[in-house]
Amino acid sequence: MSHCNDKQVNLPPVLCIGDFPANAHALLHARFAPVSLDDIDRDHALRERIGAIVTRSNYDIDTALIERLPSLKIIATSGVGFDRIPVEFARERGIVVANTPDLLNAAVAELTIGLMLALLRQLPQADRFVRSGAWSKGAFPLGSSLAGKRVGIIGMGRIGKEIARRLAPFDVEIAYYGRTKQALSHEWFAHPAELARWSDILIAACPGGSETRHLVDAAVLDALGTRGVLVNIARGSVVDENALVQALERQAIAGAALDVFEREPLDTSALFAFDNVVLSPHIGSATHETRLAMAQLTIDNVVSFFTTGKAITPVILAAR
Ligand code: NAP
């Protein structure tokens, strides 16, 4: 549902970067009739009038593009991560960046728990086992229980908390690492390696970007240990993928479930060689319901900005 009565608002031309799923695409095109990069390359007058960019969190918005758009006022991304948008550069030019927090928490938490269970119970292999007819020749190897495990969450933010909340009925212990100790009943660890040493299952749920690059490195994976598994739904950059491949080769950890990668889309990877790795193609928020809600909030952010001067959910950089 739209947050404001936006029909009368006179909007400047909107530039769309990236592909949106069909339902979100239809919504965006009905409201904005957005133009493309090709359109502004062809038409300089149009380029100079672009007031808003709508995009998704897996596309780069570079500083050169922002400099080519003298009327740009808002970059609205359909996603919560903004590691591919130069937020500080935009802020210095008075350009607002808005994202779509919270309304994807449930979808990402559901996928995280799905990946954990797929890894522990070997669900992709079990499916192949049945389809191949191997069942009639012998029993499927035993998996591991989730119940009774220690789950460590790197990044106890909106999504981290939703994962913790939804894990409660699974009868697990939960602890977390973040830069700040929060007023939570879960134990806090001051270093990711300490959390990894405590954990059976280590989940990365923090933002990407330079500050968290390779937060999960060889030392953290070694601390996780031979019975530990890694789940990454954060950003590919958070995990040192070479160190992860080496840890899997050395059998220094028991397995990994990954939704995000250092290079996306992933067409070939050393990770494909491991049977104790479950892979998904960056689909944390990829449900019809969630992507539609994200597209609507993206639209509402732009319309609200040009109506009231304020986006509904602007990105606010924390002062540290
Ligand atoms: P959020 O509410 O801002 O939470 C981020 C958490 O990470 C906070 O608890 C923060 O705690 C911690 N953090 C931030 N910087 C850190 C650092 N340098 N070192 C350690 N911890 C740090 O964000 P959210 O809405 O939960 O989203 C988290 C991330 O999930 C997004 O940024 C995105 O990358 C990822 N995501 C992935 C998908 C997918 O499709 N797989 C979908 C949506 C989101 P402190 O400030 O105390 O450190």
Side-chain angles (χ1 to χ4, degrees):
M1 197 181 69
S2 180
H3 287 81
C4 40
N5 182 7
D6 60 19
K7 292 297 174 218
Q8 307 89 328
V9 180
N10 224 346
L11 296 172
V14 174
L15 172 65
C16 180
I17 298 189
D19 291 326
F20 285 78
N23 60 1
H25 177 94
L27 206 62
L28 284 166
H29 279 254
R31 181 60 188 92
F32 293 143
V35 302
S36 68
L37 282 169
D38 283 348
D39 293 330
I40 62 164
D41 283 344
R42 273 193 303 269
D43 184 340
H44 294 289
L46 174 64
R47 173 174 60 74
E48 296 200 337
R49 288 169 43 238
I50 295 293
I53 293 176
V54 291
T55 187
R56 289 181 43 209
S57 48
N58 48 347
Y59 291 91
D60 286 317
I61 304 295
D62 60 29
T63 54
L65 174 65
I66 293 175
E67 278 174 333
R68 288 178 65 216
L69 304 174
S71 304
L72 184 65
K73 297 282 185 298
I74 178 168
I75 302 170
T77 180
S78 204
V80 69
F82 47 84
D83 46 305
R84 300 177 78 161
I85 300 173
V87 179
E88 188 60 40
F89 182 87
R91 195 187 59 80
E92 283 163 11
R93 280 153 187 77
I95 298 163
V96 169
V97 177
N99 62 351
T100 61
D102 281 320
L103 38 80
L104 40 59
N105 296 352
V108 182
E110 285 173 1
L111 182 80
T112 308
I113 293 170
L115 283 173
M116 283 168 63
L117 292 171
L119 180 63
L120 296 177
R121 302 300 298 271
Q122 310 167 88
L123 293 181
Q125 297 90 326
D127 178 87
R128 290 196 292 273
F129 186 81
V130 175
R131 287 169 197 259
S132 70
W135 194 6
S136 55
K137 299 180 194 105
F140 187 69
L142 299 182
S144 300
S145 295
L146 176 55
K149 293 289 188 303
R150 289 175 159 187
V151 181
I153 300 178
I154 296 181
M156 193 59 124
R158 292 170 292 238
I159 292 172
K161 288 190 182 79
E162 191 70 19
I163 294 168
R165 196 173 72 78
R166 283 163 187 261
L167 275 175
F170 286 96
D171 203 11
V172 295
E173 264 186 89
I174 290 171
Y176 70 101
Y177 160 74
R179 295 164 300 178
T180 325
K181 185 178 189 312
Q182 304 181 45
L184 299 171
S185 57
H186 309 299
E187 190 175 352
W188 173 73
F189 287 86
H191 298 284
E194 284 175 19
L195 177 67
R197 193 162 292 110
W198 176 89
S199 302
D200 299 307
I201 300 163
L202 184 66
I203 301 176
C206 61
S210 54
E211 281 191 34
T212 55
R213 188 178 141 73
H214 292 182
L215 200 64
V216 177
D217 58 8
V220 171
L221 294 168
D222 283 343
L224 183 58
T226 53
R227 293 158 66 104
V229 298
L230 173 73
V231 180
N232 186 11
I233 55 84
R235 282 288 181 264
S237 59
V238 173
V239 175
D240 180 344
E241 222 163 84
N242 283 332
L244 174 61
V245 168
Q246 285 168 23
L248 289 161
E249 277 166 353
R250 292 187 282 119
Q251 298 181 358
I253 64 168
L258 310 167
D259 184 49
V260 285
F261 305 90
E262 290 201 274
R263 183 175 45 81
E264 296 180 8
L266 192 64
D267 48 4
T268 173
S269 166
L271 290 164
F272 294 179
F274 301 100
D275 211 34
N276 53 344
V277 171
V278 175
L279 306 168
S280 59
H282 199 152
I283 52 169
S285 66
T287 71
H288 293 292
E289 300 85 348
T290 305
R291 286 287 172 83
L292 194 62
M294 290 161 68
Q296 185 63 62
L297 181 52
T298 306
I299 291 170
D300 290 345
N301 268 321
V302 172
V303 174
S304 170
F305 178 82
F306 287 107
T307 315
T308 69
K310 283 191 165 60
I312 298 165
T313 48
V315 167
I316 296 159
L317 292 180
R320 285 202 175 258

